[in-house]
Amino acid sequence: MTVKIAVLVSGRGSNLQAIMDSIEKGYIKNAAINVVISNKANAYALERAGNYGISTVFLDPEEYDRAEYDKAILDILNRYDTDLLLLAGYFRLLGNEIIEVYRNRIMNIHPSLLPAFKGLHAQKQAFEYGVKVAGCTVHFVDEGLDSGPIILQRCVPVLPEDTEEALTARILEQEHVIYPEAVRLFTEGKLKIEGRNVVTRT
Ligand code: GRF
């Protein structure tokens, strides 16, 4: 059985790229990205998806109120018979109705070791806080901000000569490792949620 994936994006799409590459290389098996949806018309992620022959949709937030916007997303997810929804650099809050319908089937990648540094500019927050270890997190999405059960985390050191940009790049490299890994675990049926805890079966 093929796990049908939809991805929500807003920008560059390097995590989307990592996942598309992992499917193409066979690291993630029995899965296909059926649609990529963006809230930004000029998101480079749309071009990346197009290069892979994946359907893309731009949903203009200006054209809907909040509830209608979520409904429009839900319609597309249903139309593509979505099993798993991935947020990959999607800089907009997801409506509760979508979370309800797709509970435990929505993942997000966040560039910090949650629960530290939630929200925007997590790498900057970590850098300015002076942490010695930073990292990234893949988690299931619930109604809170970056608060759902944690699937995978990876840490990276903060080096004495670091800049925020260097740290951000070091974190991104690990994002591209753990997001495909989390998707692979999901598609292989190896993730089980027990309360806040995601148990990985090997
Ligand atoms: C990544 O740092 C991700 O952790 C955060 O937004 C950024 C998206 O980058 N949620 P990209 O669009 O995947 O290149």
Side-chain angles (χ1 to χ4, degrees), residues 11-16 88-89 91 108-111 123 172 175-176:
R12 181 179 55 185
S14 69
N15 278 288
L16 167 68
F91 299 118
N108 181 42
I109 177 92
H110 184 75
Q123 306 95 327
L172 189 64
E175 294 183 34
H176 298 162

Side-chain angles (χ1 to χ4, degrees), residues 20 25 30 33 44 46 78 83 89 91 96 128-129 131 134 141 186-188 193 198:
M20 292 189 304
K25 286 189 200 125
N30 308 324
I33 299 177
Y44 184 52
L46 292 176
N78 289 337
D83 300 309
F91 299 118
N96 285 353
E128 289 179 350
Y129 198 89
V131 295
V141 172
F186 183 96
T187 59
E188 292 178 1
I193 303 179
V198 180

Side-chain angles (χ1 to χ4, degrees), residues 15 17 23 40 101 124 128 139 151 158 185 190 192:
N15 278 288
Q17 186 74 54
I23 292 173
K40 299 277 183 201
V101 174
K124 183 171 196 277
E128 289 179 350
H139 62 93
I151 303 166
V158 182
L185 290 168
K190 289 183 174 160
K192 191 156 161 257

Side-chain angles (χ1 to χ4, degrees), residues 35-104:
V35 63
V36 172
I37 307 165
S38 173
N39 64 326
K40 299 277 183 201
N42 58 358
Y44 184 52
L46 292 176
E47 217 173 301
R48 293 184 194 261
N51 291 339
Y52 265 69
I54 295 170
S55 302
T56 58
V57 181
F58 161 55
L59 275 184
D60 189 349
E62 304 284 304
E63 284 181 14
Y64 306 83
D65 70 23
R66 187 154 261 296
E68 284 169 357
Y69 194 81
D70 290 339
K71 182 80 185 55
I73 293 178
L74 261 181
D75 283 348
I76 296 169
L77 298 180
N78 289 337
R79 200 180 318 143
Y80 283 89
D81 205 12
T82 304
D83 300 309
L84 174 66
L85 173 61
L86 303 178
L87 311 189
Y90 182 63
F91 299 118
R92 210 182 135 90
L93 282 179
L94 208 57
N96 285 353
E97 197 187 335
I98 301 176
I99 295 169
E100 190 58 52
V101 174
Y102 284 89
R103 186 163 311 277
N104 299 339

